Amino acid sequence: MIRDIGAETITKTVARLFQEANFDLGEDVLDSLGRALEAEESPLGRDVLEQILENARIAKEERIPLCQDCGTAVVFLEVGQDVHITGENLYAAIEEGVRKGYEEGFLRKSIVTRPFSSRTNTNDNTPPVIHTRITDGDRLRIRVMPKGGGSENTIHLAMLKPSEGRRGIVEFVVRVVEEVGGNPCPPTIVGIGIGGTAEKAMTMAKEALLRKVGEPNPEPEVAELEAEILKRVNDLGIGPQGLGGRITALAVHAEVFPTHIASLPVAVNLQCHSARHKEAVL
Amino acid sequence: MIKNVASPLSDKEIEGLRSGDRVLVTGIIYTARDAAHKRMVEALDRGEGLPFDIKGQTIYYTGPSPPRPGRVIGSAGPTTSSRMDLYTPRLIEEGLRGMIGKGGRSPEVKEAMKRYRAIYFAAIGGAGALLSSSIENSEVIAYEDLGAEAIRLLEVKDFPAIVANDIHGGDIYEEGRAIYRRKVV
């Protein structure tokens, strides 16, 4: 049975989700930051974590963005194959939702056209970046993620040799986290995509950030890899905001996908502590 | 202990600050980030002046979100300072004495800071809602067409920050990491 979903409903939902994401940090993130505060030994690091938690409280109460960088509007869609969108085109409806949400919410518009020349602000934070997957059923799942520029700028990709294997992956991720230091606003969530092609690995690394903070990959060998990388990363001493400390990352989330016999792609996407995302199912 | 710091900064004040010190900044600071830095240095290259007298002043690397009606400013936390590194030594030569941002600086910036006696503070990235409560007034004074990236004059009171790089060669990003680093066994 085909089910109709109106484009205006999608627009309204997207507008609401981007505002909620920017004002209201998820409970899982807050809990994780609370545990980090208990575990952190550095006085400066503890001070930073306390202020981050206080910031979340103010943002929620006063509806001020958690961070002035309200991000690129990234949207992950799961479209049931029995869904029929009525009215506008699905992508146009989402774009309108971004425009409306950023305007109504007094969110910062950070998108510029002509990246290497005029860099002119589009003034409505469009266009969004949309990832779409077709699924079974008659529902539309919308997950929004305002992704900050500071953390996005620290993304790395390595096309490792298959012979470098598991060890190569660990060393690469740890090296990236070490190099970028305080820039991605630690404590971070480390998203890792392993396998597929280059762009598949990149997308997995980003989507991994949408998982509940600290929830391990269901596959035991991947969960073990996550735990080992988390320990290694937290041994670097970078700490909250890079000022030194025990908690450099709150969690490591890895996703894997089959790959070519010649390849071992590894993508690392660091998510700042302001891990903003919200979802709705229509 | 938390030190109170007045901006514009005095020589004596800068002299007394050490990396890792927690401070509360009160006074006047100017906002500028990527696009404004590019324009300022291009103006200097053409032999023109800067849109404000930079001598002794502090620049805060931020592009605030729009204020809700009745508010002074929106969310206003620091952006990554290293993107300004290419332009910063030039501005320090022109008299810039203080910077507020987040993340480590280049060797060229640190060298210029020592030579011309300038100080770099780290504010907490991703705490823009909290930091905005220390901003009492905000006025766009140049490059209005840049929107969030325009140069603003801010009046701040007890704005919380940490001394990241001092004029004595102290660097909290290196020192902090060295204390808490664990060797891989």
Side-chain angles (χ1 to χ4, degrees):
Chain A
M1 268 288 278
I2 299 298
R3 190 169 151 264
D4 285 346
I5 300 178
E8 337 77 61
T9 309
I10 296 168
T11 295
K12 248 192 257 170
T13 304
V14 168
R16 172 176 63 81
L17 291 175
F18 271 109
Q19 293 181 64
E20 275 179 18
N22 271 292
F23 302 141
D24 190 1
L25 206 54
E27 284 299 324
D28 59 326
V29 186
L30 292 169
D31 290 347
S32 181
L33 287 165
R35 287 194 298 275
L37 178 59
E38 280 171 32
E40 184 52 75
E41 294 168 22
S42 147
L44 268 186
R46 295 174 53 80
D47 201 38
V48 167
L49 290 165
E50 275 169 8
Q51 291 192 46
I52 287 172
L53 286 164
E54 174 69 2
N55 183 68
R57 191 189 60 75
I58 295 173
K60 185 175 182 176
E61 271 175 20
E62 302 186 17
R63 288 175 73 80
I64 297 176
L66 287 150
C67 178
Q68 74 290 341
D69 183 352
C70 303
T72 296
V74 181
V75 180
F76 285 88
L77 290 179
E78 286 167 39
V79 188
Q81 61 178 358
D82 296 331
V83 167
H84 175 233
I85 312 292
T86 61
E88 249 184 316
N89 170 285
L90 171 60
Y91 289 167
I94 290 169
E95 184 161 319
E96 188 54 31
V98 170
R99 188 172 288 125
K100 197 169 138 69
Y102 275 73
E103 191 55 41
E104 285 176 0
F106 294 88
L107 306 181
R108 197 182 80 186
K109 291 87 182 167
S110 308
I111 303 303
V112 292
T113 58
R114 300 178 181 271
F116 67 90
S117 52
S118 72
R119 294 183 70 86
T120 308
N121 201 302
T122 62
N123 287 324
D124 58 9
N125 219 52
T126 67
V129 173
I130 305 172
H131 303 278
T132 311
R133 184 182 300 141
I134 306 297
T135 57
D136 289 338
D138 60 2
R139 300 282 157 174
L140 172 66
R141 185 182 188 205
I142 305 172
R143 292 182 293 170
V144 310
M145 176 193 214
K147 186 67 160 66
S151 66
E152 190 76 354
N153 282 349
T154 63
I155 287 175
H156 281 68
L157 171 75
M159 301 303 282
L160 298 179
K161 295 184 187 77
S163 62
E164 293 178 86
R166 188 182 188 279
R167 191 187 165 83
I169 295 170
V170 174
E171 295 308 322
F172 170 65
V173 177
V174 171
R175 196 172 70 234
V176 168
V177 175
E178 181 163 32
E179 261 175 36
V180 302
N183 287 349
C185 277
T188 57
I189 299 159
V190 182
I192 307 174
I194 303 166
T197 50
E199 84 281 11
K200 176 69 183 174
M202 276 292 178
T203 310
M204 286 192 293
K206 181 157 283 165
E207 199 171 352
L209 301 174
L210 297 176
R211 210 193 286 165
K212 237 177 161 182
V213 180
E215 192 177 271
N217 186 296
E219 235 185 283
E221 73 161 4
V222 183
E224 265 173 48
L225 179 74
E226 291 173 337
E228 181 181 340
I229 293 175
L230 180 62
K231 178 167 187 320
R232 284 282 307 274
V233 159
N234 282 337
D235 282 348
L236 290 171
I238 293 167
Q241 291 293 304
L243 303 171
R246 297 286 176 219
I247 311 295
T248 301
L250 299 171
V252 174
H253 296 171
E255 296 292 334
V256 294
F257 194 80
T259 192
H260 190 277
I261 49 174
S263 305
L264 179 52
V266 186
V268 184
N269 190 328
L270 297 173
Q271 167 66 59
C272 62
H273 60 76
S274 200
R276 294 157 288 175
H277 51 91
K278 293 286 170 192
E279 73 164 87
V281 178
L282 299 178
Chain B
M1 195 191 74
I2 301 181
K3 293 181 177 172
N4 291 301
V5 169
S7 178
L9 298 146
S10 71
D11 270 344
K12 198 171 160 241
E13 203 142 46
I14 291 173
E15 175 79 36
L17 294 170
R18 294 289 185 282
S19 58
D21 284 352
R22 293 164 57 191
V23 300
L24 294 171
V25 182
T26 297
I28 301 290
I29 61 179
Y30 292 86
T31 71
R33 46 169 292 158
D34 308 60
H37 272 74
K38 183 167 186 279
R39 269 197 206 176
M40 283 195 285
V41 169
E42 281 171 358
L44 290 172
D45 285 345
R46 287 192 304 266
E48 296 164 13
L50 295 174
F52 64 99
D53 184 0
I54 202 168
K55 288 196 172 50
Q57 300 296 344
T58 303
I59 288 182
Y60 180 22
Y61 305 136
T62 186
S65 65
R68 281 185 186 276
R71 285 196 170 266
V72 167
I73 200 162
S75 193
T79 195
T80 309
S81 307
S82 60
R83 291 199 314 275
M84 268 46 82
D85 283 354
L86 190 66
Y87 307 112
T88 298
R90 187 73 190 275
L91 297 182
I92 292 177
E93 273 174 46
E94 291 291 318
L96 175 69
R97 301 302 300 278
M99 295 154 280
I100 306 173
K102 70 176 176 85
R105 309 306 301 262
S106 69
E108 291 78 12
V109 171
K110 289 189 239 178
E111 190 49 44
M113 285 175 58
K114 267 196 273 182
R115 185 158 169 206
Y116 294 95
R117 304 174 80 73
I119 191 114
Y120 170 50
F121 302 100
I124 297 176
L130 173 72
L131 293 170
S132 72
S133 60
S134 300
I135 300 170
E136 298 192 321
N137 202 18
S138 165
E139 186 194 344
V140 173
I141 58 144
Y143 308 156
E144 195 166 6
D145 60 300
L146 293 178
E149 294 200 70
I151 297 183
R152 289 172 170 77
L153 185 156
L154 304 183
E155 289 170 34
V156 295
K157 186 162 193 297
D158 296 336
F159 184 95
I162 293 145
V163 177
N165 291 91
D166 62 36
I167 59 167
H168 313 285
D171 182 339
I172 191 65
Y173 293 107
E174 287 172 7
E175 293 148 13
R177 205 185 286 208
I179 295 172
Y180 294 98
R181 186 180 185 92
R182 284 188 172 119
K183 283 235 168 64
V184 183
V185 280

